[in-house]
Amino acid sequence: MGAIRTTCAYCGVGCGIRAEVSGGNGIEAAGSGDGDRGVAITGDPDHPANRGRLCSKGTHLGETVGLEGRLLYPEINGKRVSWDKAIDRVARKFADTIERHGPNSVAFYVSGQLLTEDYYVANKLMKGFIGSANIDTNSRLCMSSAVAGHTRAFGEDVVPATYEDLDQADLIVLVGSNTAWCHPIVYQRIMAARAERGAKLVVIDPRRTETCEEADLHLPLRPGSDVALMRGLLAHCREAGVIDEAFLARRVATPEGFWEALGEGADLWSTAATCDVPPADLRAFYELFAKTPRTVTLFSQGINQSIRGTDQVNAIINVHLATGRIGKPGAAPFSITGQPNAMGGREVGGLASTLAAHMDFAAENVATVKRFWAASHMATQPGLKAVDLFRQVREGRVKALWIMATNPAVSLPDAGLVREALDTCPFVVVSDCIADTDTNRFADVKLPAAGWGEKDGTVTNSERLISRQRALFPLAGEARPDWWIITRVAQAMGWAGHFAYDRPADIYREHARLSAYQNDGKRVFDLKSQAAISNADYEAMEPFRWGGAPFADGRFSTPDGKARLVPVTQMVLENPLAKWPLTLNTGRYRDQWHTMTRTGLSPRLSQHRREPMVEIHPEDAAELGIAADDLVRVATPQGESLFRALLSEGQRRGEVFTPIHWTDRQSTGGRTGLLPRPLVDPISGQPGFKSTPVRIEKVIPEWRGFAIARTLPDVIPAAYATRIRVPQGWLVEVAGEGDPASVAKAVLPRGEKIEIVDSARGGLRAAVLAEGQLIAALFITRDGRLPSREWLIAQLASADTASSIELLAGRPATPQVDRGPIVCVCFDVGMKTIVEAIATQGLISVDAVGAALSAGTNCGSCRPAIQRLIVEHKEEAVHA
Ligand SMILES: Nc1nc2c(c(=O)[nH]1)N[C@H]1C(S)=C(S)[C@@H](COP(=O)(O)OP(=O)(O)OC[C@H]3O[C@@H](n4cnc5c(=O)[nH]c(N)nc54)[C@H](O)[C@@H]3O)O[C@H]1N2
Ligand SMILES: Nc1nc2c(c(=O)[nH]1)N[C@H]1C(S)=C(S)[C@@H](COP(=O)(O)OP(=O)(O)OC[C@H]3O[C@@H](n4cnc5c(=O)[nH]c(N)nc54)[C@H](O)[C@@H]3O)O[C@H]1N2
Ligand code: SF4
Ligand SMILES: [Mo]
């Protein structure tokens, strides 16, 4: 079979992939739990988003398509049932609830990881037939402030930028975006713009992330002070005479008193004080910005995930409107999207606050959509936004909830409360690909969804490019695509005629027709050219962008055609509280995706960060007596969890950072989801995930250790136990109190056991072999050292058996070179190897390291990390 062209499963960059399928089709293997699904993944050189490149996550997608852990059959109360029975149960329960308590007593909670076709039918069912707008999505947690900001400024949620703008910009400003980790291929394009055209790069982020490695300037601002920084910038642009008065006069409505109000506190010194950045650096940024017309300001969660996210978005857009830097090549504000189809969800209108096809709930829009859908019960006003929705579930007002393609028991703020809500909700349906997630543990009905690699449809990336996702494998077990599941339920609820689709192309055509229906240029989002696409053309669809170059003609989607400057003021920044003296910031690791249901299956991707860590400034750590690798309890009023300490000069003092990825499935510690408070932006309803008052303290466990094992039970009874994939098994880090025997019992299977128990000091070393092969090992210490994990991990996958003495020592008789933690996951190159090469061979560029060791020459995701090692160790190189 030739290569199938499809789109990456993960981030909003939307990279094109060529997939060559080999091996079994997975179906026969379904019973055994692990399908033999071979697929070779390469970047699609013809896809405009990535032109052949892929980051570490895309490169290693092949390791995540097996059937391990998949939900393969519908279940009611944990028992396998037929699809007919499951559909009937869902339809009947929803119909009954609506009948007894009205349409607002039911809700859908969906996801930017659905395909556009899935999303469209879910939205149509809820808003046109159930008659409620209680369908919200995890995009509420992700982009809703950008949506609200765009709508306020442009009259429509249109992202006015493309990646070509990055190629053409002379200045790229990254605000609240760890692009090198979260949008790595966009980051590589930015690096190319620097190399080819000398584009300047400024990063505005409280943390010094790897994204700052190549930046000309990093402004480590005080969290939440972005509005002040942008207002100061606007005031500076005015003084510098770079306001585009002609554009403002003709194309932008400026509210009365806008400029007068800006004057207050927007001078350089006050702004530098509010933002807590050196005035000279701030001035350097302002001057660079003022003199560089081709500027793209790219922003993501550092801006959106704030209790003033919408104002922060408008503060950025204001500067671009006032300087006329919009609708021109290389000049635009650029909200970059997180999930692969966050944009598609916005296009169908899948947020509770939008109706459909970029229309809001204005009466004429409701009438238009009602007519188009021939809707039986049309929603007439916005529904509940995610955080409120779960609150109403908790309060018993929403009584039937269907969750699709998202894991809210982990990803909503104050996940503890969300779990209570799910627990008390009379009827919970979860559609997921995975059998056991923190959320579907609460499900009355579990519906097996087809996963990436099995689904057909379309997605829209950050720059409005629509691409096809194509199936590579047959459906696993009885899994079905989400559109199929939703339409079957709609049919069973009595709306068969309105939900009679045979294939995704049928839905796509209807979606395109709705976008064009009575549009007449009112909305930029218009897929008229797609409305009559044939099935064959849909199959063969090439990536294309809707909207062309929006606003290039200076016309915006408001009634008068003018954009809006929106007055915004800096929120009052909270002072630390005595009981919660630090601020918790949360975000992502380079090689994990959200709740790890997929990336967590890949041993390669798991090498980058093996444990959930709390990043702390060394001086804060010293004050609290915390040393590197200590266990630390991170507590907020909402909850607490244990993390490993990572001391980092890149943290601001007073702030700590934890990753969002670990769940109950992988861990008893590292549970960031339990920590954030459920405060939201008043306009968008997006939670302020980046800032929660927090307390941390060192925890001294009686013992600590690690285990490696071919297989693991669900629960490992230790205060701290985190697991990640390694080749042929798992690595578990543990720590706890009392007798570690229960851990030994849990992780060591039956077999040929060898062990050393140090009863005086309470240490333990044990290994279990089966037919001479190592299948598990456990090392526990109370005061001593632990062997390096690397060699033992290698023994799990090795055909040659080490001696008992070697296994219990945790190292080979003839010492091996210690490569240190793996930096380049594609070529398996460790940190120590790179540092040594820098020192001994005098390598002072990333390319030189690549030439010598191959590190960083495949996906390129580790290049910023290599750059950092060069900066840290180039002194040694000079002396070499
Ligand atoms: N590897 C990986 N990539 C991903 C994902 C993933 O799970 N893993 N998820 C995808 C999704 S859905 C999303 S939404 C994107 C998110 O992509 P990003 O937004 O780049 O990622 P985050 O790590 O959430 O946060 C970005 C930065 O905001 C900074 N920040 C915090 N507070 C402030 C502030 O007050 N002001 C400013 N200016 N900055 C602040 C944080 O320090 C952090 O470095 O990533 C996408 N890509
Ligand atoms: N503290 C804190 N919390 C955050 C954030 C943060 O920065 N800090 N970021 C927020 C953001 S931006 C986001 S986007 C969310 C992400 O949070 P979630 O959406 O909860 O995270 P995922 O792990 O991506 O969950 C997707 C689920 O859908 C399943 N799935 C995958 N493909 C399909 C499919 O095709 N169909 C179906 N039915 N299921 C599928 C997966 O197995 C998985 O269980 O987290 C938010 N939460
Ligand atoms: S940047 Fe990486 S994760 Fe994002 S779409 Fe491209 S390959 Fe996938
Ligand atoms: Mo997101």
Side-chain angles (χ1 to χ4, degrees):
M1 201 202 292
I4 299 173
R5 294 173 67 207
T6 183
T7 319
C8 177
Y10 301 116
C11 82
V13 178
C15 296
I17 277 178
R18 292 171 65 93
E20 272 185 85
V21 178
S22 60
N25 67 17
I27 287 178
E28 310 90 80
S32 67
D34 198 6
D36 164 32
R37 288 177 154 192
V39 59
I41 302 276
T42 49
D44 181 351
D46 299 325
H47 197 287
N50 58 318
R51 302 174 194 143
R53 312 208 66 141
L54 293 176
C55 79
S56 47
K57 294 181 294 301
T59 300
H60 300 295
L61 256 172
E63 288 186 19
T64 66
V65 296
L67 299 187
E68 181 186 348
R70 283 289 298 267
L71 178 64
L72 295 170
Y73 308 99
E75 286 178 13
I76 297 179
N77 300 326
K79 294 210 177 60
R80 180 175 168 177
V81 296
S82 68
W83 266 113
D84 283 347
K85 214 165 176 172
I87 298 278
D88 181 64
R89 174 65 63 92
V90 176
R92 234 163 356 105
K93 275 282 188 180
F94 267 78
D96 281 356
T97 311
I98 296 163
E99 164 111 22
R100 304 222 322 255
H101 306 282
N104 290 327
S105 64
V106 303
F108 296 166
Y109 183 58
V110 303
S111 159
Q113 294 172 74
L114 291 174
L115 303 181
T116 299
E117 292 76 5
D118 305 327
Y119 231 130
Y120 178 87
V121 289
N123 194 51
K124 178 177 173 180
L125 174 57
M126 184 52 82
K127 290 181 185 154
F129 293 83
I130 289 177
S132 164
N134 281 350
I135 169 168
D136 210 36
T137 140
N138 64 0
S139 291
R140 182 70 57 199
L141 319 178
C142 181
M143 332 279 346
S144 58
S145 290
V147 172
H150 288 152
T151 310
R152 284 207 297 191
F154 309 142
E156 184 179 352
D157 174 26
V158 175
V159 174
T162 69
Y163 302 154
E164 276 121 61
D165 288 314
L166 294 169
D167 304 340
Q168 294 168 4
D170 296 318
L171 169 63
I172 296 162
V173 185
L174 304 177
V175 198
S177 165
N178 187 4
T179 325
W181 281 14
C182 297
H183 297 96
I185 297 303
V186 158
Y187 182 75
Q188 290 188 16
R189 272 178 97 141
I190 295 171
M191 289 302 108
R194 282 173 70 65
E196 286 157 23
R197 318 188 43 249
K200 294 270 188 278
L201 178 65
V202 176
V203 180
I204 301 173
D205 189 315
R207 294 192 301 151
R208 186 177 172 82
T209 61
E210 279 187 9
T211 302
C212 305
E213 230 32 77
E214 298 277 354
D216 297 284
L217 183 62
H218 168 222
L219 295 173
L221 83 174
R222 191 174 167 193
S225 66
D226 295 85
V227 169
L229 190 132
M230 290 296 154
R231 290 178 91 243
L233 174 61
L234 188 52
H236 176 89
C237 288
R238 201 168 183 226
E239 270 163 40
V242 298
I243 300 295
D244 188 340
E245 302 289 354
F247 183 74
L248 277 189
R250 280 183 298 127
R251 302 299 183 195
V252 182
T254 307
E256 208 166 316
F258 179 86
W259 293 107
E260 292 71 23
L262 182 70
E264 290 158 32
D267 63 285
L268 183 77
W269 298 100
S270 314
T271 307
T274 307
C275 302
D276 190 24
V277 291
D281 287 355
L282 195 61
R283 173 177 293 138
F285 167 55
Y286 285 179
E287 287 175 352
L288 181 61
F289 191 99
K291 71 172 189 209
T292 318
R294 284 182 177 237
T295 296
V296 174
T297 306
L298 182 150
F299 58 94
S300 55
Q301 299 315 343
I303 288 295
N304 294 340
Q305 285 175 343
S306 157
I307 55 167
R308 288 290 179 280
T310 308
D311 281 356
Q312 298 188 161
V313 169
N314 285 110
I316 292 172
I317 296 176
N318 282 347
V319 179
H320 275 266
L321 286 172
T323 53
R325 295 176 187 180
I326 188 163
K328 294 176 188 155
F334 194 169
S335 151
I336 192 164
T337 53
Q339 299 176 91
N341 198 33
M343 284 285 254
R346 284 151 71 173
E347 288 154 15
V348 307
L351 287 154
S353 42
T354 56
L355 175 58
H358 279 204
M359 283 176 267
D360 63 12
F361 282 91
E364 71 267 23
N365 292 337
V366 172
T368 302
V369 177
K370 180 176 189 327
R371 202 173 321 119
F372 180 86
W373 280 339
S376 63
H377 305 80
M378 193 65 201
T380 54
Q381 53 192 21
L384 294 166
K385 300 186 179 105
V387 172
D388 286 339
L389 168 61
F390 279 84
R391 212 170 269 144
Q392 296 230 359
V393 173
R394 177 71 189 85
E395 288 163 8
R397 278 185 286 206
V398 170
K399 300 168 198 298
L401 176 65
W402 186 355
I403 297 165
M404 308 175 202
T406 176
N407 199 352
V410 182
S411 55
L412 274 171
D414 196 359
L417 197 77
V418 171
R419 286 160 189 240
E420 278 176 37
L422 291 171
D423 202 28
T424 50
C425 185
F427 188 59
V428 177
V429 183
V430 178
S431 303
D432 206 293
C433 321
I434 300 296
D436 187 13
T437 71
D438 286 19
T439 297
N440 69 17
R441 295 210 150 182
F442 296 94
D444 298 283
V445 180
K446 288 198 223 177
L447 302 176
W452 184 85
E454 296 157 10
K455 297 184 71 162
D456 258 307
T458 55
V459 291
T460 310
N461 78 352
S462 287
E463 45 154 11
R464 287 173 279 112
L465 201 69
I466 296 182
S467 299
R468 278 294 313 270
Q469 205 175 95
R470 295 186 172 92
L472 313 177
F473 309 104
L475 296 168
E478 288 184 4
R480 292 290 176 269
D482 290 286
W483 69 267
W484 183 94
I485 305 173
I486 299 159
T487 54
R488 284 301 154 115
V489 170
Q491 289 163 10
M493 289 178 80
W495 299 299
H498 299 87
F499 289 87
Y501 309 100
D502 291 329
R503 53 176 69 78
D506 295 339
I507 303 171
Y508 179 78
R509 279 186 287 266
E510 183 179 312
H511 165 59
R513 276 199 294 122
L514 175 56
S515 74
Y517 187 62
Q518 299 186 348
N519 186 335
D520 306 321
K522 285 200 286 278
R523 298 176 299 276
V524 177
F525 178 63
D526 185 338
L527 298 179
K528 196 181 328 153
S529 67
Q530 304 288 302
I533 189 172
S534 68
N535 291 340
D537 286 349
Y538 181 81
E539 280 319 311
M541 184 192 292
E542 289 291 325
F544 74 96
R545 180 174 298 131
W546 63 262
F551 316 141
D553 58 357
R555 260 199 65 79
F556 294 86
S557 306
T558 49
D560 61 6
K562 287 184 174 187
R564 304 277 184 268
L565 284 175
V566 180
V568 288
T569 49
Q570 171 60 47
M571 67 173 150
V572 178
L573 295 170
E574 291 167 287
N575 285 317
L577 307 165
K579 196 166 171 214
W580 314 101
L582 305 175
T583 303
L584 174 68
N585 176 7
T586 59
R588 292 157 170 82
Y589 281 166
R590 190 189 78 198
D591 289 353
Q592 291 296 349
W593 177 261
H594 297 167
T595 67
M596 289 164 78
T597 56
R598 290 171 288 166
T599 46
L601 298 170
S602 161
R604 276 187 191 277
L605 294 178
S606 298
Q607 299 190 80
H608 177 243
R609 286 283 187 273
R610 283 184 165 168
E611 280 178 274
M613 286 175 296
V614 52
E615 292 174 45
I616 316 167
H617 190 279
E619 287 167 31
D620 285 338
E623 272 178 16
L624 294 161
I626 296 170
D629 293 332
D630 278 350
L631 269 189
V632 173
R633 177 176 297 114
V634 178
T636 72
Q638 291 69 242
E640 59 174 61
S641 199
L642 296 177
F643 294 78
R644 187 74 67 194
L646 175 65
L647 307 196
S648 160
E649 301 270 358
Q651 280 297 125
R652 282 172 56 96
R653 289 216 55 189
E655 284 150 38
V656 297
F657 177 89
T658 62
I660 62 173
H661 308 293
W662 272 263
T663 72
D664 285 4
R665 302 281 67 72
Q666 298 94 12
S667 177
T668 55
R671 296 285 292 97
T672 293
L674 305 173
L675 306 174
R677 55 185 168 179
L679 293 186
V680 302
D681 177 272
I683 300 164
S684 68
Q686 178 154 357
F689 280 124
K690 295 294 186 252
S691 178
T692 302
V694 68
R695 181 177 67 222
I696 65 170
E697 66 195 1
K698 175 172 173 154
V699 172
I700 306 172
E702 283 177 18
W703 48 263
R704 65 196 170 86
F706 71 91
I708 53 167
R710 282 274 169 86
T711 56
L712 282 181
D714 283 347
V715 180
I716 296 165
Y720 178 83
T722 62
R723 64 177 83 188
I724 56 149
R725 279 327 284 254
V726 297
Q728 306 294 328
W730 300 88
L731 168 66
V732 188
E733 297 288 336
V734 285
E737 311 287 313
D739 189 351
S742 54
V743 173
K745 202 166 157 213
V747 301
L748 297 175
R750 275 174 209 282
E752 208 185 304
K753 187 164 166 192
I754 47 175
E755 92 186 298
I756 307 175
V757 181
D758 178 352
S759 36
R761 281 183 297 179
L764 171 74
R765 291 178 170 222
V768 178
L769 299 115
E771 291 165 15
Q773 261 272 286
L774 180 71
I775 56 167
L778 173 67
F779 290 77
I780 297 279
T781 179
R782 284 179 193 258
D783 49 9
R785 289 161 59 87
L786 291 163
S788 145
R789 280 88 174 142
E790 312 315 315
W791 181 80
L792 280 156
I793 291 170
Q795 299 319 299
L796 256 198
S798 161
D800 315 317
T801 311
S803 72
S804 304
I805 296 169
E806 288 175 314
L807 288 175
L808 292 181
R811 59 170 184 269
T814 37
Q816 282 187 323
V817 193
D818 177 6
R819 299 180 298 162
I822 298 298
V823 173
C824 172
V825 299
C826 293
F827 292 109
D828 247 352
V829 186
M831 188 173 94
K832 290 191 177 166
T833 312
I834 296 173
V835 169
E836 196 186 277
I838 292 169
T840 57
Q841 301 177 45
L843 309 176
I844 51 160
S845 75
V846 177
D847 288 335
V849 170
L853 303 171
S854 296
T857 58
N858 183 41
C859 78
S861 288
C862 64
R863 292 174 67 91
I866 297 173
Q867 174 64 28
R868 179 168 290 182
L869 291 175
I870 292 170
V871 171
E872 285 169 2
H873 296 278
K874 63 172 180 258
E875 297 295 301
E876 296 151 45
V878 173
H879 300 300

PDB file of all heavy atoms in Angstrom, residues 710-727:
ATOM      1  N   ARG A 710       7.771  -5.671  33.675  1.00  0.00           N
ATOM      2  CA  ARG A 710       7.106  -5.912  32.392  1.00  0.00           C
ATOM      3  C   ARG A 710       5.647  -5.470  32.448  1.00  0.00           C
ATOM      4  O   ARG A 710       5.153  -4.845  31.528  1.00  0.00           O
ATOM      5  CB  ARG A 710       7.154  -7.412  32.068  1.00  0.00           C
ATOM      6  CG  ARG A 710       8.477  -7.893  31.552  1.00  0.00           C
ATOM      7  CD  ARG A 710       8.562  -7.683  30.031  1.00  0.00           C
ATOM      8  NE  ARG A 710       9.914  -7.888  29.555  1.00  0.00           N
ATOM      9  CZ  ARG A 710      10.415  -9.073  29.220  1.00  0.00           C
ATOM     10  NH1 ARG A 710       9.650 -10.141  29.292  1.00  0.00           N
ATOM     11  NH2 ARG A 710      11.648  -9.181  28.807  1.00  0.00           N
ATOM     12  N   THR A 711       4.973  -5.846  33.544  1.00  0.00           N
ATOM     13  CA  THR A 711       3.569  -5.442  33.697  1.00  0.00           C
ATOM     14  C   THR A 711       3.371  -4.906  35.107  1.00  0.00           C
ATOM     15  O   THR A 711       4.159  -5.194  36.004  1.00  0.00           O
ATOM     16  CB  THR A 711       2.601  -6.633  33.502  1.00  0.00           C
ATOM     17  OG1 THR A 711       2.981  -7.642  34.435  1.00  0.00           O
ATOM     18  CG2 THR A 711       2.652  -7.182  32.101  1.00  0.00           C
ATOM     19  N   LEU A 712       2.314  -4.140  35.270  1.00  0.00           N
ATOM     20  CA  LEU A 712       2.062  -3.522  36.576  1.00  0.00           C
ATOM     21  C   LEU A 712       0.591  -3.642  36.934  1.00  0.00           C
ATOM     22  O   LEU A 712      -0.267  -3.638  36.045  1.00  0.00           O
ATOM     23  CB  LEU A 712       2.393  -2.030  36.527  1.00  0.00           C
ATOM     24  CG  LEU A 712       3.848  -1.606  36.603  1.00  0.00           C
ATOM     25  CD1 LEU A 712       3.906  -0.084  36.556  1.00  0.00           C
ATOM     26  CD2 LEU A 712       4.516  -2.118  37.874  1.00  0.00           C
ATOM     27  N   PRO A 713       0.299  -3.705  38.222  1.00  0.00           N
ATOM     28  CA  PRO A 713      -1.106  -3.627  38.628  1.00  0.00           C
ATOM     29  C   PRO A 713      -1.588  -2.174  38.516  1.00  0.00           C
ATOM     30  O   PRO A 713      -0.787  -1.259  38.357  1.00  0.00           O
ATOM     31  CB  PRO A 713      -1.069  -4.058  40.094  1.00  0.00           C
ATOM     32  CG  PRO A 713       0.294  -3.668  40.563  1.00  0.00           C
ATOM     33  CD  PRO A 713       1.212  -3.781  39.366  1.00  0.00           C
ATOM     34  N   ASP A 714      -2.907  -1.965  38.600  1.00  0.00           N
ATOM     35  CA  ASP A 714      -3.459  -0.617  38.512  1.00  0.00           C
ATOM     36  C   ASP A 714      -2.973   0.281  39.639  1.00  0.00           C
ATOM     37  O   ASP A 714      -2.724   1.455  39.450  1.00  0.00           O
ATOM     38  CB  ASP A 714      -4.994  -0.668  38.578  1.00  0.00           C
ATOM     39  CG  ASP A 714      -5.579  -1.122  37.256  1.00  0.00           C
ATOM     40  OD1 ASP A 714      -4.821  -1.151  36.271  1.00  0.00           O
ATOM     41  OD2 ASP A 714      -6.774  -1.458  37.231  1.00  0.00           O
ATOM     42  N   VAL A 715      -2.890  -0.325  40.830  1.00  0.00           N
ATOM     43  CA  VAL A 715      -2.576   0.496  41.995  1.00  0.00           C
ATOM     44  C   VAL A 715      -1.259   0.044  42.614  1.00  0.00           C
ATOM     45  O   VAL A 715      -1.043  -1.145  42.813  1.00  0.00           O
ATOM     46  CB  VAL A 715      -3.704   0.382  43.048  1.00  0.00           C
ATOM     47  CG1 VAL A 715      -3.390   1.240  44.262  1.00  0.00           C
ATOM     48  CG2 VAL A 715      -5.040   0.789  42.432  1.00  0.00           C
ATOM     49  N   ILE A 716      -0.407   1.008  42.897  1.00  0.00           N
ATOM     50  CA  ILE A 716       0.822   0.707  43.633  1.00  0.00           C
ATOM     51  C   ILE A 716       0.713   1.440  44.966  1.00  0.00           C
ATOM     52  O   ILE A 716       0.606   2.665  44.997  1.00  0.00           O
ATOM     53  CB  ILE A 716       2.060   1.160  42.845  1.00  0.00           C
ATOM     54  CG1 ILE A 716       2.123   0.349  41.546  1.00  0.00           C
ATOM     55  CG2 ILE A 716       3.331   0.966  43.668  1.00  0.00           C
ATOM     56  CD1 ILE A 716       3.044   0.913  40.529  1.00  0.00           C
ATOM     57  N   PRO A 717       0.669   0.693  46.067  1.00  0.00           N
ATOM     58  CA  PRO A 717       0.334   1.311  47.355  1.00  0.00           C
ATOM     59  C   PRO A 717       1.520   2.051  47.971  1.00  0.00           C
ATOM     60  O   PRO A 717       2.208   1.534  48.840  1.00  0.00           O
ATOM     61  CB  PRO A 717      -0.069   0.108  48.215  1.00  0.00           C
ATOM     62  CG  PRO A 717       0.668  -1.042  47.608  1.00  0.00           C
ATOM     63  CD  PRO A 717       0.897  -0.752  46.175  1.00  0.00           C
ATOM     64  N   ALA A 718       1.748   3.279  47.512  1.00  0.00           N
ATOM     65  CA  ALA A 718       2.813   4.104  48.091  1.00  0.00           C
ATOM     66  C   ALA A 718       2.352   5.553  48.030  1.00  0.00           C
ATOM     67  O   ALA A 718       1.604   5.923  47.127  1.00  0.00           O
ATOM     68  CB  ALA A 718       4.103   3.926  47.297  1.00  0.00           C
ATOM     69  N   ALA A 719       2.817   6.337  49.007  1.00  0.00           N
ATOM     70  CA  ALA A 719       2.397   7.741  49.045  1.00  0.00           C
ATOM     71  C   ALA A 719       2.745   8.435  47.732  1.00  0.00           C
ATOM     72  O   ALA A 719       1.991   9.260  47.225  1.00  0.00           O
ATOM     73  CB  ALA A 719       3.087   8.447  50.207  1.00  0.00           C
ATOM     74  N   TYR A 720       3.900   8.063  47.193  1.00  0.00           N
ATOM     75  CA  TYR A 720       4.308   8.621  45.904  1.00  0.00           C
ATOM     76  C   TYR A 720       4.657   7.456  44.995  1.00  0.00           C
ATOM     77  O   TYR A 720       5.523   6.628  45.340  1.00  0.00           O
ATOM     78  CB  TYR A 720       5.527   9.530  46.105  1.00  0.00           C
ATOM     79  CG  TYR A 720       6.062  10.132  44.835  1.00  0.00           C
ATOM     80  CD1 TYR A 720       5.495  11.278  44.281  1.00  0.00           C
ATOM     81  CD2 TYR A 720       7.160   9.564  44.171  1.00  0.00           C
ATOM     82  CE1 TYR A 720       5.996  11.840  43.117  1.00  0.00           C
ATOM     83  CE2 TYR A 720       7.665  10.124  43.004  1.00  0.00           C
ATOM     84  CZ  TYR A 720       7.075  11.262  42.483  1.00  0.00           C
ATOM     85  OH  TYR A 720       7.568  11.821  41.325  1.00  0.00           O
ATOM     86  N   ALA A 721       3.987   7.313  43.899  1.00  0.00           N
ATOM     87  CA  ALA A 721       4.301   6.272  42.921  1.00  0.00           C
ATOM     88  C   ALA A 721       3.942   6.807  41.549  1.00  0.00           C
ATOM     89  O   ALA A 721       2.780   7.081  41.267  1.00  0.00           O
ATOM     90  CB  ALA A 721       3.506   4.998  43.204  1.00  0.00           C
ATOM     91  N   THR A 722       4.952   7.019  40.701  1.00  0.00           N
ATOM     92  CA  THR A 722       4.672   7.517  39.348  1.00  0.00           C
ATOM     93  C   THR A 722       5.262   6.543  38.346  1.00  0.00           C
ATOM     94  O   THR A 722       6.346   6.019  38.548  1.00  0.00           O
ATOM     95  CB  THR A 722       5.289   8.904  39.104  1.00  0.00           C
ATOM     96  OG1 THR A 722       6.703   8.811  39.228  1.00  0.00           O
ATOM     97  CG2 THR A 722       4.770   9.920  40.093  1.00  0.00           C
ATOM     98  N   ARG A 723       4.531   6.296  37.286  1.00  0.00           N
ATOM     99  CA  ARG A 723       4.986   5.302  36.316  1.00  0.00           C
ATOM    100  C   ARG A 723       5.132   5.911  34.934  1.00  0.00           C
ATOM    101  O   ARG A 723       4.360   6.781  34.556  1.00  0.00           O
ATOM    102  CB  ARG A 723       4.015   4.133  36.263  1.00  0.00           C
ATOM    103  CG  ARG A 723       2.635   4.495  35.781  1.00  0.00           C
ATOM    104  CD  ARG A 723       1.732   3.276  35.691  1.00  0.00           C
ATOM    105  NE  ARG A 723       1.145   2.948  36.984  1.00  0.00           N
ATOM    106  CZ  ARG A 723       0.436   1.846  37.235  1.00  0.00           C
ATOM    107  NH1 ARG A 723       0.241   0.957  36.299  1.00  0.00           N
ATOM    108  NH2 ARG A 723      -0.084   1.634  38.413  1.00  0.00           N
ATOM    109  N   ILE A 724       6.130   5.460  34.203  1.00  0.00           N
ATOM    110  CA  ILE A 724       6.232   5.812  32.780  1.00  0.00           C
ATOM    111  C   ILE A 724       6.653   4.577  31.997  1.00  0.00           C
ATOM    112  O   ILE A 724       7.181   3.613  32.545  1.00  0.00           O
ATOM    113  CB  ILE A 724       7.264   6.930  32.508  1.00  0.00           C
ATOM    114  CG1 ILE A 724       8.628   6.527  33.056  1.00  0.00           C
ATOM    115  CG2 ILE A 724       6.809   8.271  33.015  1.00  0.00           C
ATOM    116  CD1 ILE A 724       9.752   7.093  32.265  1.00  0.00           C
ATOM    117  N   ARG A 725       6.437   4.632  30.695  1.00  0.00           N
ATOM    118  CA  ARG A 725       6.803   3.529  29.822  1.00  0.00           C
ATOM    119  C   ARG A 725       8.300   3.485  29.588  1.00  0.00           C
ATOM    120  O   ARG A 725       8.946   4.523  29.415  1.00  0.00           O
ATOM    121  CB  ARG A 725       6.159   3.710  28.440  1.00  0.00           C
ATOM    122  CG  ARG A 725       4.723   3.296  28.268  1.00  0.00           C
ATOM    123  CD  ARG A 725       4.325   2.163  29.082  1.00  0.00           C
ATOM    124  NE  ARG A 725       4.765   0.852  28.662  1.00  0.00           N
ATOM    125  CZ  ARG A 725       3.963  -0.045  28.099  1.00  0.00           C
ATOM    126  NH1 ARG A 725       2.729   0.246  27.807  1.00  0.00           N
ATOM    127  NH2 ARG A 725       4.394  -1.226  27.819  1.00  0.00           N
ATOM    128  N   VAL A 726       8.846   2.275  29.558  1.00  0.00           N
ATOM    129  CA  VAL A 726      10.212   2.040  29.072  1.00  0.00           C
ATOM    130  C   VAL A 726      10.094   0.876  28.083  1.00  0.00           C
ATOM    131  O   VAL A 726       9.058   0.205  28.059  1.00  0.00           O
ATOM    132  CB  VAL A 726      11.179   1.696  30.233  1.00  0.00           C
ATOM    133  CG1 VAL A 726      11.305   2.861  31.204  1.00  0.00           C
ATOM    134  CG2 VAL A 726      10.733   0.433  30.971  1.00  0.00           C
ATOM    135  N   PRO A 727      11.119   0.628  27.274  1.00  0.00           N
ATOM    136  CA  PRO A 727      10.989  -0.487  26.335  1.00  0.00           C
ATOM    137  C   PRO A 727      10.652  -1.783  27.075  1.00  0.00           C
ATOM    138  O   PRO A 727      11.291  -2.107  28.068  1.00  0.00           O
ATOM    139  CB  PRO A 727      12.366  -0.555  25.676  1.00  0.00           C
ATOM    140  CG  PRO A 727      12.900   0.835  25.788  1.00  0.00           C
ATOM    141  CD  PRO A 727      12.387   1.368  27.091  1.00  0.00           C
TER     142      PRO A 727
END
